[in-house]
């Protein structure tokens, strides 16, 4: 059939409409937005602990522990809710009351085994295996042997409060116990580390969120020194507004967008305005120093590279003379770039190596060797 001018006009209109729709979907901003997302959700309280069950923690309390696996905090309540804080992450679950006594329990406790309903994956951790309750042993030797065969990293005090945890694949395994010996709380336990485990009032601290760049097509990139210098036209953003605003899009007609002349300016919204050159330079400088520009969020380091650089800058210039010293206690010890067993190994130290302790982070120490090398080491691997 012969095409008429009317048909040609319709085809052009349809094509223009489709192009406008594409531009509207992708946005016409010249650069990505700098966004600090909201902290991951924590489940609401769901039911009280039944009277037949005996938890270790009461609502409104917490226990904080440092083990060979690292630092962890367990928050209790309201009700059956438990919140876990480790590696700078914070996730929660609704524990389940046991219907039958667990092996060795003197009373029914709490547990969880599976994927919590409100749990955003945390660096590959998407499941939780949790145990909480009272365990009775005939004697202290039985208690010590039991901890050895469980293959968790435990720490405990003289009163028998015990915390153990580890990461295993996609699962966070946590155990919280109150030990009793022949039905009574102990007054001392061999090799206890009372300074490494504390129980007290709840102090909830939301997870610190790191800023990242959100692009018009929806993909994100971490906000680092590299990306800050790569994208000089970074726009201020917010957690609830991660794409180009409708008022921005209205500034561009489809023909300007087609020719790449979209300005992306807006007089109606503050979050959608592109920053000035000075602001862009401030963004790059902020990324270089490991902080985010002011956008309503806490300034934090955003990458391993930035964090290491920041730590080195803050280290005392006369650390070798004024800082306390220690020796490596293990035969071969990993020195890491962050205070976590899941961080990268920078170097390996041997027994007897002398180090200066520059700073502390719970059960970890940031040390400097005599040859100038620096890194993090677990405190129990040092001889003070």
């Amino acid at each position: 059939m012969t095409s008429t001018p009317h048909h040609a006009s319709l085809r052009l209109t349809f094509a223009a409409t489709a192009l406008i729709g594409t531009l509207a979907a992708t946005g016409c901003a010249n650069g990505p937005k700098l966004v600090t997302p909201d902290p991951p959700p924590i489940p609401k309280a769901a039911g009280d602990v039944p009277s037949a069950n005996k938890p270790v923690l009461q609502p409104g309390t917490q226990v904080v522990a440092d083990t060979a696996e690292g630092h962890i905090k367990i928050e209790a309540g309201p009700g059956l809710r438990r919140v876990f804080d480790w590696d700078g992450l914070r996730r929660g679950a609704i524990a389940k009351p046991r219907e039958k006594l667990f092996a060795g329990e003197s009373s029914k406790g709490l547990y969880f085994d599976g994927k919590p309903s409100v749990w955003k994956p945390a660096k590959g951790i998407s499941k939780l295996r949790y145990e909480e309750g009272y365990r009775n042993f005939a004697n202290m030797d039985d208690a010590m042997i039991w901890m050895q065969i469980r293959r968790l990293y435990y720490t405990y005090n003289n009163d028998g409060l015990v915390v153990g945890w580890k990461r295993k694949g996609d699962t966070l395994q946590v155990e919280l116990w109150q030990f009793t010996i022949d039905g009574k709380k102990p007054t001392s336990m061999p090799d206890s580390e009372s300074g490494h485990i504390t129980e007290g009032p709840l102090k909830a601290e939301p997870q610190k969120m790191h800023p990242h760049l959100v692009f018009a097509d929806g993909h994100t990139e971490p906000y680092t020194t590299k990306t800050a210098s790569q994208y000089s036209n970074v726009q201020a953003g917010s957690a609830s507004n991660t794409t180009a605003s409708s008022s921005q899009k209205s500034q561009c007609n489809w023909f300007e967008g087609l020719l790449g002349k979209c300005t992306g300016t807006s007089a109606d919204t503050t979050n959608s305005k592109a920053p000035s050159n000075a602001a862009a330079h401030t963004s790059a400088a902020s990324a270089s120093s490991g902080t985010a520009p002011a956008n309503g969020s806490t300034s934090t380091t955003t990458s391993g590279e930035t964090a290491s650089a920041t730590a080195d800058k803050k280290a005392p210039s006369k650390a070798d003379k004024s800082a306390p010293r220690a020796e490596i206690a293990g035969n071969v010890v990993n020195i890491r770039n962050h205070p976590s067993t899941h961080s990268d190994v920078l170097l390996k130290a041997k027994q007897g190596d002398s180090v200066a302790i520059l700073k502390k982070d719970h059960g970890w120490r940031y040390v400097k060797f005599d040859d100038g090398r620096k890194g993090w080491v677990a405190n129990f691997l040092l001889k003070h």
Side-chain angles (χ1 to χ4, degrees):
M1 183 175 71
T2 304
S3 175
T4 65
H6 175 69
H7 292 150
S9 177
L10 286 176
R11 286 197 297 271
L12 180 59
T13 301
F14 291 152
T17 302
L19 180 57
I20 291 172
T22 301
L23 290 173
T26 59
C28 55
N30 289 326
K33 282 193 173 185
L34 181 62
V35 172
T36 300
D38 294 326
I42 299 298
K44 297 180 180 179
D48 295 328
V49 178
S51 58
N53 296 79
K54 189 175 181 180
V56 176
L57 288 178
Q58 298 302 314
T61 64
Q62 67 181 31
V63 62
V64 180
D66 291 302
T67 76
E69 183 75 1
H71 181 77
I72 191 168
K73 180 172 73 167
I74 307 169
E75 304 172 8
L80 290 164
R81 187 176 73 179
R82 295 292 182 268
V83 179
F84 307 90
D85 192 317
W86 81 101
D87 291 348
L89 305 166
R90 189 170 184 264
R91 300 291 188 273
I94 303 301
K96 300 178 181 180
R98 285 200 177 277
E99 297 181 357
K100 297 181 180 180
L101 288 175
F102 190 55
E105 277 190 321
S106 56
S107 58
K108 292 184 292 186
L110 309 177
Y111 79 102
F112 189 94
D113 191 359
K115 186 175 182 180
S117 58
V118 180
W119 184 293
K120 184 179 179 181
K123 295 183 180 178
I125 300 295
S126 59
K127 298 178 182 179
L128 171 68
R129 184 172 298 158
Y130 180 60
E131 303 283 356
E132 177 181 340
Y134 280 68
R135 297 193 63 86
N136 185 59
F137 298 92
N139 53 65
M140 187 62 70
D141 288 342
D142 287 350
M144 303 307 292
I145 292 172
W146 184 86
M147 283 191 286
Q148 292 177 6
I149 65 176
R150 291 289 286 179
R151 297 180 180 273
L152 258 68
Y153 295 106
Y154 290 99
T155 189
Y156 49 90
N157 63 16
N158 283 321
D159 296 330
L161 182 63
V162 180
V163 172
W165 74 288
K166 69 178 179 181
R167 314 165 189 84
K168 186 176 181 181
D170 62 354
T171 302
L172 176 69
Q173 295 184 220
V174 185
E175 295 184 5
L176 171 61
W177 302 109
Q178 174 59 62
F179 281 6
T180 56
I181 307 300
D182 194 21
K184 300 179 180 179
K185 283 187 179 182
T187 56
S188 65
M189 291 185 66
D191 301 320
S192 66
E193 298 178 305
S194 296
H196 289 182
I197 179 171
T198 57
E199 182 180 1
L202 175 62
K203 296 180 180 179
E205 299 175 7
Q207 179 179 325
K208 293 181 179 179
M209 303 303 294
H210 302 295
H212 59 249
L213 300 175
V214 179
F215 293 79
D217 62 2
H219 87 278
T220 64
E221 293 183 16
Y223 185 69
T224 63
T225 304
K226 181 179 179 180
T227 55
S229 60
Q230 184 177 357
Y231 304 106
S232 59
N233 52 349
V234 174
Q235 305 174 72
S238 67
S240 59
N241 185 13
T242 58
T243 58
S245 68
S246 58
S247 57
Q248 269 188 312
K249 297 169 189 174
S250 65
Q251 302 300 312
C252 316
N253 62 49
W254 71 271
F255 189 71
E256 289 174 329
L258 180 65
L259 299 179
K261 295 183 178 181
C262 176
T263 60
T265 58
S266 172
D268 298 328
T269 59
T270 55
N271 284 342
S272 60
K273 291 181 180 179
S276 64
N277 289 337
H281 291 157
T282 302
S283 297
S286 299
S288 299
S289 63
T291 59
N295 67 339
S297 64
T298 303
S299 298
T300 60
T301 55
T302 58
S303 68
E305 174 187 3
T306 307
S308 297
T310 303
D312 288 343
K313 290 177 181 177
K314 292 182 179 178
S317 59
K318 298 180 180 180
D320 291 334
K321 296 181 180 180
S322 60
R325 300 193 66 84
E327 291 183 357
I328 300 296
N331 291 330
V332 179
V333 174
N334 291 329
I335 308 300
R336 301 179 181 272
N337 68 336
H338 289 297
S340 168
T341 55
H342 276 224
S343 62
D344 294 336
V345 176
L346 300 177
L347 58 108
K348 292 183 180 294
K350 64 181 184 298
Q351 189 174 34
D353 284 349
S354 179
V355 296
I357 300 176
L358 303 185
K359 59 182 178 180
K360 304 177 181 179
D361 187 342
H362 302 297
W364 292 79
R365 299 295 181 266
Y366 188 67
V367 300
K368 180 179 180 181
F369 291 81
D370 292 339
D371 59 6
R373 296 176 297 170
K374 300 175 185 177
W376 290 94
V377 60
N379 186 50
F380 76 94
L381 294 172
L382 294 175
K383 181 180 179 181
H384 296 272

